[in-house]
């Protein structure tokens, strides 16, 4: 017994909203996974700011078409979607969790592809994303790259007064030495 038409319309609207408001959506085929396996995967994905959800392929297809996305290649067989939250999610971390889980459950979980910033990408792009460092590390690297020129400038600016002080001190010492030598000659 299937869902009534208003329920299907609500599901299509919900999927459309999630696709539109997520940082990423990664499509997988979960054939043969146990309930315990799915629960383990959902828990691991939750730690990345993602939610792993199963919808009927036909309803996802309608929602995607409404957004101008062609996801037909991803919507065959039992499909689940990892939606990465825009606010606190990490698409690279979610891709890594899915990739690692698929390695452990080789015949049971297949990464089909994804949608990142409203762009459809193939599974190899999802695997490449899984190789990226976590968001915190990328942000730290970016901050370091941006801060490096400022740090170098601060060191240069700090060195100028120090070098001036050394030069002035050397000049004073030389003047004192010359004055002392001059006074000895007059005596």
């Amino acid at each position: 017994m299937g869902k009534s038409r208003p329920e299907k319309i609500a599901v299509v609207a919900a999927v459309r909203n999630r696709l539109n408001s997520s940082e990423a959506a990664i499509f997988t085929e979960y054939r043969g996974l146990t309930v315990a396996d799915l629960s383990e995967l959902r828990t691991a994905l939750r730690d990345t700011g993602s939610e792993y959800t199963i919808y009927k392929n036909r309803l996802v297809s309608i929602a995607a078409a409404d957004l101008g996305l062609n996801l037909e290649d991803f919507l065959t067989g039992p499909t689940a979607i990892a939606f990465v939250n825009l606010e606190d999610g990490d698409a690279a971390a979610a891709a890594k969790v899915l990739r690692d889980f698929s390695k452990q459950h080789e015949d049971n979980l297949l990464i089909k592809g994804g949608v990142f910033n409203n762009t459809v990408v193939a599974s190899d792009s999802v695997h490449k994303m899984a190789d990226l460092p976590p968001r915190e590390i990328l942000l730290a690297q970016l901050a370091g790259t941006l801060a490096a020129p400022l740090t170098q400038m601060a060191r240069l600016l700090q060195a100028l007064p120090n070098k001036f002080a050394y030069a002035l001190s050397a000049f004073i010492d030389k003047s004192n030495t010359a004055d002392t030598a001059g006074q000895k000659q007059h005596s």
Side-chain angles (χ1 to χ4, degrees), residues 108-132:
N108 301 87
L109 185 72
L110 170 71
I111 297 173
K112 297 178 177 184
V115 177
F116 296 92
N117 298 321
N118 294 321
T119 302
V120 178
V121 298
S123 65
D124 61 331
S125 295
V126 176
H127 285 278
K128 287 177 186 172
M129 179 171 278
D131 292 331
L132 291 173

Side-chain angles (χ1 to χ4, degrees), residues 11 26 28 50 56 80 97 102 113 119 140 176:
V11 169
I26 303 171
T28 63
S50 305
K56 290 199 174 290
V97 165
S102 71
T119 302
N176 287 341

Side-chain angles (χ1 to χ4, degrees), residues 20 36 44 46-47 53 56 59 66 92 107 116-117 133 135-136 180:
N20 204 28
R46 201 170 300 119
D47 292 341
T53 311
K56 290 199 174 290
L59 300 179
D66 289 349
D107 297 328
F116 296 92
N117 298 321
R135 177 180 292 187
E136 294 79 21
T180 308

Side-chain angles (χ1 to χ4, degrees), residues 17-89:
N17 182 46
R18 300 221 35 214
L19 283 171
N20 204 28
S21 65
S22 295
E23 177 185 339
I26 303 171
F27 292 76
T28 63
E29 184 173 317
Y30 62 94
R31 191 178 308 271
L33 289 177
T34 66
V35 172
D37 292 337
L38 286 171
S39 178
E40 177 187 342
L41 180 56
R42 281 187 170 111
T43 300
L45 284 169
R46 201 170 300 119
D47 292 341
T48 70
S50 305
E51 188 176 337
Y52 195 63
T53 311
I54 298 169
Y55 293 107
K56 290 199 174 290
N57 290 341
R58 182 70 188 131
L59 300 179
V60 173
S61 177
I62 294 167
D66 289 349
L67 295 173
L69 301 172
N70 181 2
L71 302 177
E72 295 306 315
D73 291 343
F74 304 156
L75 301 174
T76 57
T79 304
I81 309 167
F83 291 101
V84 182
N85 297 326
L86 190 57
E87 298 84 31
D88 63 348

